[in-house]
Each structure stands twice: as C-alpha cells, then as structure tokens.
Amino acid sequence: MKRKKIMETTPKGTGKEGRIFTAQTAGGILILNFYEDRKLKVRYCMDTETNEYLSCLDGGLWKQQRIANVWKYSYYNSYTDAECEPDSEADTRIARDSLGIMAGNIFNVIANREYSRNTELWKNRADNKRMRIWKLMEKVGRLPDDFDEWICRMSGIGDYAFPGASENEIVCSSCKGSFPRKRKNGKKVVHNETVECPCCKKELEAKTRTKQVSRIVHALVLQEVDEKQNVARHFTATVRADSRGIHICRAENVRIMLRRQPSKRACDTYYSTYHVNSYLYHPEWETTNPCNRRMYSEFLYPSGIQESLKDTAYEPLVNAFTALAAAGVNMKYNNLMAAYHTGAMPSVMEYLCKGRFFRLASETADSISPWSGSYYGPLDLYGQEDADGIFGISDRQKINRIRDRNGGEEMLEWMRLSDRYGVKISDETLEWLTSSRIRTKDISFIAGQMSPQQVMNYVKKQKETEYPALDEKQILSEWEDYLQMCMKAGKDTMDEMVYRPRQLKRRHDELVMEIHRIRILNDMERDAEGRRKAARELSRKFPGAEKALREAAKKFTYENGQFRIIVPETLFDIVTEGQALHHCVGSADRYFDRIMQHETYICFLRRASDPETPFYTIEVEPGGTIRQHRSYLDEEPGIEEIRGFLREWQQAVKKRMDEKDREHADVSRKKREENLEELKRQNNIRVLQGLQEDFMDAM
C-alpha cells in the first residue's frame, strides 16, 4: 500500500460533534477518517483493487488493523448511522463509489472484503508451507536395504509351528513345510513346546492355540539428507509371524530434521498425518501434531550414526549412540537428544554405555524431559569428573556391582545407602529389593531399627502367612501404617515386640479397632446433656417404647463368653449408641416407632471383654429374625465371626418365645414384606442390597 501517497493526502475534517467519519480517495485507496468530538482518532485505508488494508493511528503509527477493531466495531453489532455517522451525504457517496456498491452498510462490505482477502492469504500460505515441507521430505532417502531384517531381529520374533489344515498337522513358519503334530513317543505336541521341523531341521516353538504371533517394535533411523540437514526418523513396526511366514507393517510417525551448523535452533520436527496401520495413504507431514504422535522407547539402527550427527548439535552423542546401537539397547533416544546441552550428559552417557551400564543408561534417558532436556534423575551430571562423583559412591566395588548386575536407579540408591552408612546388602537381598521395585524411601520408616535383609525376611514371612494377596510394596505400606497408628496410640515403637509383630495383619486390625474404640468413647463424652434432652423428648413422643424394650430384654439378653447381647433400657441409650457408632439408628424416628408397635427392637452387641464400648447395633424382629446389623460408620468388622454368634443367639431366643411373641413376629414379617415391596417400586437398589446382605432369618 502506498503509505506516502496517503500521508500526502490531508485528512478531510468535520465540524460536527460525536462520532463522525469522512471519506476521501487517493490513487485507488479509500481513506476513512474517524473523528470523535472533532478530534481525529484513526485513519482506515483500503486498496479497493487488492483489498489490502492498514490503519494509521494518532501519532503516525501504522498498523494492520481490521475495521472490526478500528472503531469498536463488531460482527454481532454492525454499525448504524446512530453509532457513527458520515459527515455528509457526499462522504457516503465517495465510500460507496470507491467500493463499487449502490447501497448498504459500507462497514459490512469492508469487513467482507477483509475476510475474503485474509482467507485467500491463509490458503496461499498453507499451500506454500505444504509445498516447502513436501520438497524437504522428498530429499529424505530410502531406508537401508536390511532395515526390515533388522526390525525383525529386534522384535524377538522367531520360528514357530502353527496349526495346519487339520487338527493333527502343524506348519513351520520358516520353510512352510507341514508335518504331524506328534512327538517321538506318539503324544500330541502342546502349546509353547519346542519341536524340530523335519524339513528344515530348525527348532520351532509350537503355537497350537493361536494362528499368529505379533510384536510391536519402535525404531529410530539416522540418515544424511543434504549439506544443510540430516534426519532422525521414528518408526512403529508390527512384526507378525504366521504359517505363511513373517510380515512387517511399518509406519513412520515423526521426522526430526537435524540442522547442520545450527544457529537459532538445533532441529525442526515434523509429524505424519496418516494412520499408523494404514496401507492406503502416502503420509503427509505437518509441523503441528494433529494425530497426537508420541516418542517411545525404541531401538537405534546401528548404521549411519556418525555421518548423520556430524556438524549438528548432537555430534557429542555419536560415541554413546554407537555403543547403544551395537548393544541393542531399547531406550528413549529422543529424550537423550533433547539433553544435548544439559551439563555433561553426552560424556556421562558415553561412559555408561562403554562401562556396560545399559539399564542405568536407559533409565537415565527416562529421567530426561523431552521438552526442556532437563535431567531429574539420581546421577550427578554437574561438576563431576570421575565415576565416583557421578554415581555418588566412593567404593568402586559397589559401582562394579551395579554394572555386573545390570542395575538401574533402584540399585544405585541401595549402593549409595550401603556406601554412605556401611550397610551390608547381600546379593539375595539386592535381587529382592530391585525385582520388587522397592526404593530406599519405602523402608525409611524402619531403616533405623532393621537392616534391609531383616526387612526382606520379615516381609517374605508376612506375605506367606498374613498377606498372600498383596505385593511387597503393599505389605510395606501396611507395616508403615501400623507403626503410625502405634505412635498415635502412645506405644513404644522402639520396642521390637511393637515394631516387629509376629502377626502383622492381626495386630494392624486390632489397632484399627482400638483407635475406633478411642474415637467412640471420645464422641460419647461430648455434649452428653444435649443427647439426654433429645432422648427425653423422644420418650414423650413415643410412649410405651421403653416398656417394650424392658419386656424384650427378658428373651433377648444373651452371652457366650466372647460376645454379649444387651437390650437398652431407655431411648437415650439408643441415641447414644447411634451417635457413638455414627449410623442412623437413634437419629431416625422410624426405629422408635417400630419399638413402640412391637415390630422390631434395638439390641447392642458388645465384646464380653469390653461390654461398655459400643461395637454392633442389631435391629431384630420379635421372632429373632435380624433385619440389620451395623458397626462403626456402617462398617462390619469380623462379620463372619459375628454371624456365627448371632445364629447361636437366635436359637436361644427361639426357645424363649411365647404365643404373644409369635403374634408380634407374624405382624412384623408382613410389615417387612410391605416395606420391601415399596422399596422395589421406588427402585431403591442401594437400600435393598444392604437389607439383603444383613438379613438373617430365625430358622
């Protein structure tokens, strides 16, 4: 746009107050001068041939600003004459003539022209970008001839014997020859058994339960492109073996163009936009990631590494990459490339590879951020010149021990602990710790009292006897939870009988119940007077309920030496019990109404050794049928043992019943059935399921 021509055109003024615009033209450019109270605010200019537009703000600042933003214009609230008026009819006519329209809102016409121009520019830019990317991708050469063979080897796919045309025939995946599914002794070959192909004499793994074996492999290939850049190509391949042979389906997910002699940035990343398993479409490439491509742990193709990384920011990684590729290490190479500038990472990785610390090298790459290249693992990469400093271990024998066992970060932590505090860790203990993925922090709660070997022996014993369904880390968590409860209960955790109980699960569960008991007693002491007042009001509201309880006590009271059934004397006792155990009994009027009507009664189940502490609350019908039994927070600790006692109690109650009790029991049964039908009509599944689980009929 001819800015000089515009600046030479003096703005046409106005003598009106308010929001006013004037129009003028200069060499095919429409100029709209916007005034507010006769003060010029902005000049909007549009080339009516190309639809190019600019705004000249007060002070001579040029800006590519749409009409929508020039004068508080909005597509949802178009200009009206009342919002911004032309200075005269002549200004309207000049604007319309310049835009080539006879009538209509000139601002809407300008906005439409802006949209058309911007759309065309966006399309042209997208086409140009797509063409640039296409030309760049065309420079990338073919894959090495042995790439598929290498992928197959890395996948671990071997030779198999698959089911043949008949049930008694199997087929060799290598030579395609078929032979009988029999051993030399005449018995059938079974799944995963090793057999020899009589045709090619190869050892095969029999797969009688499946018709194919497949593996997914991720791979990285480094290749030269031209004098400006090289490429790192990330692939996902599915290797499948069946009776017809081995088939490979590979897809390229990401290409990272490595700049030679980089200035501003080291690389450019491009993502494929076709489906990974597609056979139909040639991949297109984008700088964005619409298909959500990801980097994985992958194998590195061993050829072309030095040539591809030469003169790039990643050249210091050549020796490390060469050693890793030769060893066939599966790791996140992209993370390692992202950390090319992070301290001594290239030299440390080279040392790990040449020293055969392959697992530690792989886990080190896992501890690198692929975005920033920051390292957050246990190795010390800054200011250290030797292995002792990098590992944080002064005893070289312990470093060699990590190498000999191909240890990772867990083993590094244990060797540091051993080196720092002189703790001896046997090979058996070390194997157990690392295979169970146990870190030093996992046993920190007991580290001052037991050695790692003692911890291992104790956890193994508890797994055999107490926790067969839990893994080692879960047992350690239970143990730590137990010791924390011991401290809360005021127990001496330095006493071996406390911190190392023979039956951890039993002591853990007993301590949980003890803490519940303490909470219950504390809750019972709070606001006792308020509870008494509420209970007195309930006694007046439900006359005869307490008398019914006293009558029920004659046949429901029972004890067997381990548990005891107590019938409360007052409604106050029920309120206290319900609030202590935090369930609804005592806070719902329906229970007191049922007692008054002799439909059900409330009984307390207590431990015989601790009869003052609430344990279970029982709702029982006159005939001994139990509707509900609930403990603290509606839980049911030791429920199987409790049910056995309740069966015994029901038999004792049955012997004490008289004719009047049987009449009340019959009425209670009918009301119970009506209540269940009502819950079914309301589709109240949760309550129905709870009642069904608790229900115990007095046989």
Side-chain angles (χ1 to χ4, degrees), residues 112-152:
N112 290 334
R113 286 196 174 201
E114 290 173 345
Y115 177 79
S116 299
R117 178 179 182 274
N118 291 337
T119 300
E120 185 178 357
L121 288 176
W122 176 86
K123 184 178 181 301
N124 290 338
R125 283 196 295 267
D127 291 342
N128 292 337
K129 177 184 175 182
R130 190 177 296 110
M131 182 57 65
R132 286 197 304 271
I133 294 175
W134 181 81
K135 289 181 178 179
L136 177 62
M137 295 299 113
E138 283 293 304
K139 294 180 181 180
V140 177
R142 296 178 56 188
L143 286 170
D145 295 336
D146 64 340
F147 178 74
D148 286 347
E149 180 184 347
W150 174 79
I151 279 282
C152 183

Side-chain angles (χ1 to χ4, degrees), residues 398-452:
K398 291 181 171 59
I399 297 177
N400 294 339
R401 197 174 176 189
I402 297 174
R403 178 198 59 207
D404 296 341
R405 299 182 66 87
N406 194 21
E409 292 182 353
E410 289 103 347
M411 189 172 177
L412 174 63
E413 284 189 15
W414 290 111
M415 289 296 96
R416 280 180 174 176
L417 178 74
S418 176
D419 183 65
R420 190 171 303 162
Y421 300 106
V423 178
K424 293 184 178 180
I425 304 177
S426 66
D427 288 344
E428 179 191 3
T429 305
L430 196 58
E431 174 63 28
W432 179 79
L433 291 168
T434 53
S435 62
S436 302
R437 306 305 300 267
I438 296 173
R439 312 294 285 257
T440 54
K441 64 180 181 180
D442 296 327
I443 68 164
S444 59
F445 67 93
I446 199 67
Q449 293 146 285
M450 296 175 65
S451 68

Side-chain angles (χ1 to χ4, degrees), residues 89-305:
E89 287 295 330
D91 293 291
T92 303
R93 188 170 55 255
I94 291 172
R96 287 177 175 172
D97 290 345
S98 180
L99 295 171
I101 59 174
M102 298 294 293
N105 191 311
I106 61 174
F107 301 109
N108 288 337
V109 174
I110 291 174
N112 290 334
R113 286 196 174 201
E114 290 173 345
Y115 177 79
S116 299
R117 178 179 182 274
N118 291 337
T119 300
E120 185 178 357
L121 288 176
W122 176 86
K123 184 178 181 301
N124 290 338
R125 283 196 295 267
D127 291 342
N128 292 337
K129 177 184 175 182
R130 190 177 296 110
M131 182 57 65
R132 286 197 304 271
I133 294 175
W134 181 81
K135 289 181 178 179
L136 177 62
M137 295 299 113
E138 283 293 304
K139 294 180 181 180
V140 177
R142 296 178 56 188
L143 286 170
D145 295 336
D146 64 340
F147 178 74
D148 286 347
E149 180 184 347
W150 174 79
I151 279 282
C152 183
R153 189 166 61 252
M154 292 297 103
S155 70
I157 289 285
D159 296 317
Y160 304 95
F162 291 103
S166 67
E167 183 181 354
N168 298 319
E169 183 183 49
I170 51 179
V171 179
C172 174
S173 63
S174 179
C175 68
K176 317 300 185 298
S178 61
F179 54 94
R181 182 185 166 184
K182 287 184 179 181
R183 306 178 194 157
K184 293 181 179 179
N185 58 10
K187 293 185 178 181
K188 274 190 174 183
V189 173
V190 297
H191 190 67
N192 288 339
E193 183 179 352
T194 301
V195 297
E196 183 182 274
C197 175
C199 305
C200 63
K201 304 301 180 182
K202 288 186 177 180
E203 286 194 348
L204 311 175
E205 185 177 348
K207 296 295 180 182
T208 59
R209 299 177 186 173
T210 181
K211 293 185 178 181
Q212 66 176 26
V213 175
S214 63
R215 301 280 190 277
I216 294 179
V217 183
H218 302 285
L220 168 63
V221 180
L222 298 173
Q223 289 180 295
E224 293 184 272
V225 177
D226 57 24
E227 68 281 356
K228 293 183 178 180
Q229 65 237 318
N230 294 329
V231 65
R233 305 173 69 180
H234 297 266
F235 289 86
T236 295
T238 301
V239 184
R240 187 180 75 254
D242 56 25
S243 59
R244 297 173 298 170
I246 294 178
H247 317 275
I248 299 175
C249 175
R250 51 179 164 79
E252 190 171 357
N253 301 325
V254 182
R255 284 182 180 177
I256 301 179
M257 308 306 294
L258 313 178
R259 294 188 172 195
R260 290 188 169 181
Q261 283 121 22
S263 54
K264 294 182 179 179
R265 58 180 182 271
C267 65
D268 300 293
T269 305
Y270 300 89
Y271 304 91
S272 67
T273 59
Y274 75 130
H275 194 273
V276 171
N277 293 322
S278 172
Y279 293 92
L280 303 177
Y281 302 104
H282 185 75
E284 292 189 1
W285 300 92
E286 292 285 350
T287 54
T288 57
N289 192 6
C291 296
N292 198 26
R293 302 300 183 200
R294 287 290 179 265
M295 303 292 191
Y296 304 93
S297 291
E298 54 196 351
F299 294 101
L300 175 59
Y301 184 75
S303 299
I305 296 174

Side-chain angles (χ1 to χ4, degrees), residues 596-609:
M596 188 175 64
Q597 301 297 331
H598 294 275
E599 181 184 346
T600 61
Y601 305 104
I602 298 298
C603 300
F604 303 155
L605 187 153
R606 305 280 174 85
R607 297 184 185 87
S609 60

Side-chain angles (χ1 to χ4, degrees), residues 222 230 258 260 300-327 333 336-337 340 345-351 353-354:
L222 298 173
N230 294 329
L258 313 178
R260 290 188 169 181
L300 175 59
Y301 184 75
S303 299
I305 296 174
Q306 183 173 357
E307 298 81 0
S308 302
L309 298 183
K310 185 179 180 181
D311 297 330
T312 70
Y314 311 100
E315 188 171 5
L317 293 169
V318 167
N319 293 335
F321 273 23
T322 302
L324 289 166
Y333 290 95
L336 190 55
M337 294 178 72
Y340 69 92
M345 176 60 75
S347 58
V348 169
M349 188 59 64
E350 181 180 352
Y351 169 79
C353 298
K354 291 183 176 179

